[in-house]
Amino acid sequence: MLVLVAGVTVAGAVELPKMFSDHAVLQRGEKVPVWGWGDAGEQVTVEFGGQSVAAKAGEGGSWQVELEAMEAHAEGRTLKVTGSSSGGVEVRDVLVGEVWMASGQSNMQWRLAQTERAEEDIPTAEFPGLRMYLTPNVTALTPQRKVGGEWLETNPENAGQFSAVGYYFGRKLHRELGVPVGIICTAWGGKPSEAFTSREGLLTEPEGKALVDQLDQAMASYDEEKAKANFEKALAAWEKKVEEIKAANKESGKNQGLPRKPGMPQAPGLNPGRPASIYNAMIHPWVGYALRGAIWYQGESNAGRAKQYETIFPQLILDWRRLWQKELPFYFVQLANFKKPSTEPGVPDEWAELQNAQRLTLALPKTGMAIINDIGMANDIHPRNKLDVGERLARWALAMDYGKTGVAISGPIYKGSKIEGDKVRIEFDHAEGLKSRDGGPLKRFEIAGEDRKWVWAEAKIDGESVVVSSPDVPEPVAVRYAWASNPEGANLVNGEGLPASLFRTDDWKLKTEK
């Protein structure tokens, strides 16, 4: 007799990975793989939405089927999986719509409850057709096929823990398209892009290979017994210190803080900042799950290696596309303005170089960039305004993937330059209605001649271009705009009020270029 259990498996029953669980959202308009495990050689049948597809489990018990492309469906259906010898499982309240992965570091992970609109937006978060999957933060030495977590419906009880950027992106799509939307959150704060990229993907370029080689060297020299002995020694010292502080506090009546407890030793490959460590445990389990595309907010942890990011960030995108075997749309957030505002031109700046590396990534097809150099905070790397971030990402998806017309997808992005005597003409994409945000003169343009000495420039709008000059530079060769961690006063926008990205016309050596 087959034993059916709603949303879970029992001993001897067919097993599904966690992404196929109650409240899941499946991708519309394309074939949908469904996979799992059972008894070796058994026949497994998957039923959903009037379809019935069967497959034979392999020697290790793994199996996979494909559901034919489906239209969006906002009423929950049951996904039923049965095995000829091992029992079955039912997954309930499954919708069909649009599925996106939301990944990156802390600004993508940042919870809705922590944003400036939390008190307004959490009580009104009643969207049965909008779901989010919060993938737990774990690492692994090798690619995994199982993942923890669960699908959550959008309601006031759940929404506060959602990725705020993912939520606002998904809400915008849900409202505009009128179909269910599923957001898969795979973010981890403070982690570099190479941790989200597969080992194979990193090996395709010298910059990525160098990172893998460093990891291999660390793994080769890792002595587990020595690490354990050092940990036990450090733990004993910590325990002794804690007792001493407690005794001193009791005697003095003060409350001196306790030292941090030493962490358990782990292999270098399990460090979440190491290449492929997050990919193995949090991205690879999702490979093959049908989705429309990905959104990404990361870069802060790579700022010190911004020149390298020009290569390893595109590697990540190309790697995911290889793994999903499709040209996934990939829309990312350019870092926000941050740190103390600068006042001088020509200052080398790692943060600006990282933003520029992100801009250069637009050379890849089916990519888009949300520019947010107008919403950052000088003293906090986590801007609390996540609404504009999510909705600016959604602009790209709505226009590029869903055919929405009349949508301004971006602020001005540098297209090219031309020297015209003692002036330089800068041309932009997305430049309809160029203007200054505050109605005053354009600011934060700087110009240089062959001597590479930067000075502040005069910049005037001429149609969909900007003409830049300075009496101090009669023979200009290069222009930069907003080239600073926090380019206070940068005010070039288009008719929609969307800010222009920083850029440089030169190819002079960067601060982070080794």
Side-chain angles (χ1 to χ4, degrees):
M1 176 181 293
L2 298 181
V3 180
L4 295 177
V5 182
V8 298
T9 57
V10 296
V14 170
E15 181 183 359
L16 290 172
K18 288 280 191 176
M19 61 276 292
F20 298 108
S21 56
D22 291 353
H23 315 305
V25 182
L26 304 180
Q27 177 63 44
R28 66 169 173 169
E30 61 183 72
K31 291 185 177 182
V32 175
V34 179
W35 65 89
W37 304 270
D39 292 338
E42 78 170 317
Q43 188 85 352
V44 177
T45 302
V46 177
E47 299 174 75
F48 182 75
Q51 297 188 49
S52 181
V53 191
K56 185 178 180 180
E59 290 185 5
S62 63
W63 54 266
Q64 179 172 313
V65 303
E66 279 190 338
L67 296 172
E68 292 297 323
M70 299 170 281
E71 295 183 355
H73 197 273
E75 294 182 6
R77 291 169 168 165
T78 297
L79 176 72
K80 183 179 178 181
V81 184
T82 53
S84 59
S85 63
S86 65
V89 59
E90 286 187 352
V91 178
R92 297 175 180 171
D93 188 32
V94 178
L95 309 182
V96 180
E98 292 298 315
V99 183
W100 288 78
M101 181 170 285
S103 195
Q105 56 182 104
S106 57
N107 271 305
M108 181 62 82
Q109 192 177 20
W110 202 255
R111 296 181 293 116
L112 185 60
Q114 298 169 290
T115 66
E116 64 183 14
R117 293 179 56 91
E119 293 184 3
E120 179 179 355
D121 288 344
I122 292 176
T124 59
E126 288 281 6
F127 301 101
L130 176 59
R131 305 324 182 34
M132 187 172 292
Y133 194 107
L134 301 177
T135 307
N137 290 156
V138 291
T139 63
L141 292 173
T142 58
Q144 305 296 300
R145 287 305 280 164
K146 297 182 180 181
V147 66
E150 62 181 330
W151 285 98
L152 298 173
E153 298 176 279
T154 299
N155 55 47
E157 289 71 38
N158 290 331
Q161 62 186 307
F162 285 1
S163 155
V165 171
Y167 172 74
Y168 287 124
F169 172 82
R171 189 182 72 173
K172 182 71 171 176
L173 296 190
H174 184 50
R175 285 172 166 172
E176 294 282 336
L177 303 175
V179 302
V181 172
I183 303 295
I184 302 163
C185 184
T186 57
W188 193 332
K191 303 303 175 283
S193 68
E194 61 266 23
F196 297 82
T197 311
S198 77
R199 180 184 178 90
E200 292 74 19
L202 288 167
L203 290 173
T204 60
E205 295 286 348
E207 291 84 352
K209 183 178 183 302
L211 295 172
V212 173
D213 289 345
Q214 290 172 12
L215 172 61
D216 288 348
Q217 292 170 12
M219 288 291 291
S221 61
Y222 177 67
D223 186 328
E224 185 175 0
E225 290 301 318
K226 183 178 180 181
K228 184 178 179 181
N230 288 339
F231 166 73
E232 291 175 348
K233 182 178 179 181
L235 181 63
W238 174 81
E239 291 172 342
K240 181 180 179 182
K241 186 66 175 178
V242 166
E243 291 303 316
E244 291 174 351
I245 292 175
K246 286 182 178 179
N249 287 346
K250 184 176 180 180
E251 182 176 343
S252 65
K254 296 180 179 180
N255 189 22
Q256 180 184 348
L258 301 178
R260 179 179 294 182
K261 186 176 182 179
M264 290 284 290
Q266 61 177 12
L270 290 174
N271 183 321
R274 293 286 196 167
S277 59
I278 293 174
Y279 166 82
N280 286 337
M282 294 176 61
I283 306 298
H284 189 78
W286 289 96
V287 171
Y289 193 88
L291 48 82
R292 177 69 64 190
I295 57 174
W296 176 263
Y297 191 165
Q298 189 274 339
E300 298 91 337
S301 291
N302 286 90
R305 297 180 280 125
K307 181 63 179 177
Q308 181 193 63
Y309 201 74
E310 293 181 14
T311 300
I312 61 173
F313 180 39
Q315 277 187 276
L316 179 146
I317 298 172
L318 294 173
D319 184 40
W320 287 17
R321 289 175 173 178
R322 173 185 64 85
L323 292 159
W324 264 269
Q325 299 181 19
K326 61 182 287 190
E327 198 168 52
L328 288 172
F330 198 102
Y331 306 130
F332 53 90
V333 183
Q334 191 179 45
L335 295 187
N337 48 311
F338 175 53
K339 303 181 182 179
K340 183 179 179 180
S342 64
T343 58
E344 299 297 326
V347 178
D349 193 292
E350 296 176 350
W351 200 260
E353 292 179 16
L354 194 288
Q355 290 175 316
N356 192 60
Q358 293 173 313
R359 180 184 65 86
L360 294 175
T361 303
L362 292 171
L364 289 180
K366 291 191 176 181
T367 57
M369 181 174 73
I371 304 162
I372 61 166
N373 60 19
D374 58 334
I375 69 170
M377 304 168 68
N379 59 354
D380 197 329
I381 203 170
H382 303 114
R384 299 303 193 268
N385 176 0
K386 294 294 191 272
L387 172 64
D388 283 334
V389 182
E391 294 199 341
R392 288 178 190 178
L393 287 168
R395 287 174 177 266
W396 284 95
L398 289 168
M400 305 303 291
D401 303 295
Y402 302 113
K404 292 289 183 178
T405 58
V407 178
I409 60 177
S410 174
I413 295 176
Y414 173 73
K415 181 168 64 174
S417 64
K418 181 181 179 181
I419 297 175
E420 299 176 348
D422 61 351
K423 298 177 176 61
V424 181
R425 182 177 297 274
I426 307 297
E427 297 181 337
F428 299 89
D429 290 318
H430 314 294
E432 298 82 359
L434 281 184
K435 61 182 181 180
S436 69
R437 180 186 293 109
D438 53 12
L442 295 181
K443 299 178 181 178
R444 300 301 306 207
F445 282 86
E446 47 193 283
I447 193 167
E450 289 288 356
D451 60 3
R452 302 190 179 189
K453 294 181 179 179
W454 295 96
V455 301
W456 292 124
E458 180 182 81
K460 293 184 177 180
I461 294 169
D462 183 13
E464 294 186 356
S465 63
V466 173
V467 179
V468 185
S469 64
S470 169
D472 297 325
V473 186
E475 296 182 1
V477 298
V479 171
R480 291 181 178 181
Y481 171 70
W483 196 266
S485 299
N486 193 352
E488 190 173 58
N491 59 351
L492 179 62
V493 300
N494 60 16
E496 286 287 316
L498 297 172
S501 168
L502 95 170
F503 67 86
R504 66 171 184 153
T505 67
D506 63 278
D507 60 358
W508 301 338
K509 188 172 182 178
L510 298 172
K511 180 180 180 181
T512 59
E513 189 170 351
K514 307 301 181 184

